[in-house]
Amino acid sequence: GENVEQHPSTLSVQEGDSAVIKCTYSDSASNYFPWYKQELGKGPQLIIDIRSNVGEKKDQRIAVTLNKTAKHFSLHITETQPEDSAVYFCAASKSGGSNYKLTFGKGTLLTVNP
Amino acid sequence: KAGVTQTPRYLIKTRGQQVTLSCSPISGHRSVSWYQQTPGQGLQFLFEYFSETQRNKGNFPGRFSGRQFSNSRSEMNVSTLELGDSALYLCASSRGTLEGEQYFGPGTRLTVT
């Protein structure tokens, strides 16, 4: 089955700096890659996603890039703010048909220091 | 639009008991998936229901089961609870179509003593 590796497990940055989290996946048939942000005591919140027919997607300070050949995708957060502090999870799945199982990375604890 | 709701939010049970958790998806969503989150194993897929039918199943023992009702609400049941079942149980709602993103509820924190 699919395996998703996520790095780093912890990341500490200064407010205003950029943060980058990287994930690799094993199943070349995976075609949907969402990113979730989980704050303490809450469920994961979908923040951005990308499909395999797109190489990059941006939403304000957040961007995701996908390299299908290398089977890796990354989350980029620019101009970080203290409220960006949370655990971030990447995931992969084969969307469509009857495949709605998300395989998650182990998460990255991002701390933004004021 | 109301988000995904899960009840109860917290639950304490004794080893050997059974438990039922409930999930109400976003209005119009027909797919409900369940995940178990633990510090050691992370987020793991349990099963997914669409139109009252289980479409996908993860690698969990048969003690974990679920169902979905005609209004898309879903329940999961864990029988003969073990200490290792202590976890945050999350449900995610989706349209269930090709472009269906999954939206998570706040989870039910289950503690088995």
Side-chain angles (χ1 to χ4, degrees):
Chain A
E2 174 68 277
N3 183 51
V4 177
E5 300 279 343
Q6 182 172 347
H7 299 281
S9 57
T10 61
L11 180 59
S12 181
V13 301
Q14 290 299 120
E15 183 177 357
D17 286 351
S18 294
V20 180
I21 302 171
K22 299 181 179 181
C23 290
T24 60
Y25 61 98
S26 62
D27 189 343
S28 57
S30 288
N31 58 7
Y32 176 62
F33 308 92
W35 286 88
Y36 288 87
K37 174 185 180 181
Q38 187 173 26
E39 297 174 313
L40 204 59
K42 297 184 179 180
Q45 174 195 359
L46 178 64
I47 56 172
I48 196 167
D49 57 13
I50 192 167
R51 299 182 190 275
S52 60
N53 58 347
V54 175
E56 183 175 5
K57 184 176 179 180
K58 287 182 181 178
D59 183 3
Q60 299 183 340
R61 297 186 297 109
I62 293 175
V64 58
T65 58
L66 171 65
N67 183 326
K68 285 190 295 181
T69 304
K71 289 191 281 189
H72 68 70
F73 56 113
S74 301
L75 177 70
H76 304 252
I77 306 174
T78 59
E79 300 172 24
T80 53
Q81 301 167 5
E83 50 265 39
D84 293 330
S85 296
V87 179
Y88 290 80
F89 292 95
C90 62
S93 79
K94 292 175 277 195
S95 70
S98 61
N99 295 302
Y100 289 93
K101 166 186 174 181
L102 287 173
T103 301
F104 285 87
K106 293 293 189 185
T108 296
L109 174 61
L110 173 64
T111 303
V112 180
N113 302 297
Chain B
K1 204 177 204 181
V4 179
T5 58
Q6 292 187 245
T7 57
R9 291 294 312 277
Y10 303 91
L11 208 48
I12 300 175
K13 289 287 187 179
T14 303
R15 193 170 44 181
Q17 289 185 316
Q18 72 162 13
V19 67
T20 299
L21 313 181
S22 181
C23 172
S24 292
I26 293 169
S27 178
H29 285 192
R30 295 167 64 190
S31 167
V32 173
S33 298
W34 288 89
Y35 293 82
Q36 181 195 65
Q37 185 175 29
T38 60
Q41 298 300 317
L43 280 150
Q44 293 186 287
F45 173 78
L46 281 155
F47 32 66
E48 184 245 355
Y49 286 86
F50 179 80
S51 292
E52 302 178 65
T53 301
Q54 186 182 89
R55 283 200 303 192
N56 291 280
K57 190 177 188 304
N59 298 321
F60 278 81
R63 299 186 297 106
F64 292 82
S65 62
R67 60 177 175 168
Q68 187 180 35
F69 303 95
S70 58
N71 61 358
S72 294
R73 190 178 69 86
S74 177
E75 289 181 346
M76 69 163 281
N77 182 278
V78 188
S79 62
T80 319
L81 284 165
E82 301 176 359
L83 296 178
D85 296 333
S86 293
L88 181 67
Y89 290 89
L90 294 156
C91 87
S93 144
S94 167
R95 287 187 180 83
T97 59
L98 180 63
E99 293 80 24
E101 298 87 358
Q102 293 193 25
Y103 298 93
F104 283 83
T108 294
R109 172 72 64 186
L110 172 65
T111 301
V112 182
T113 61

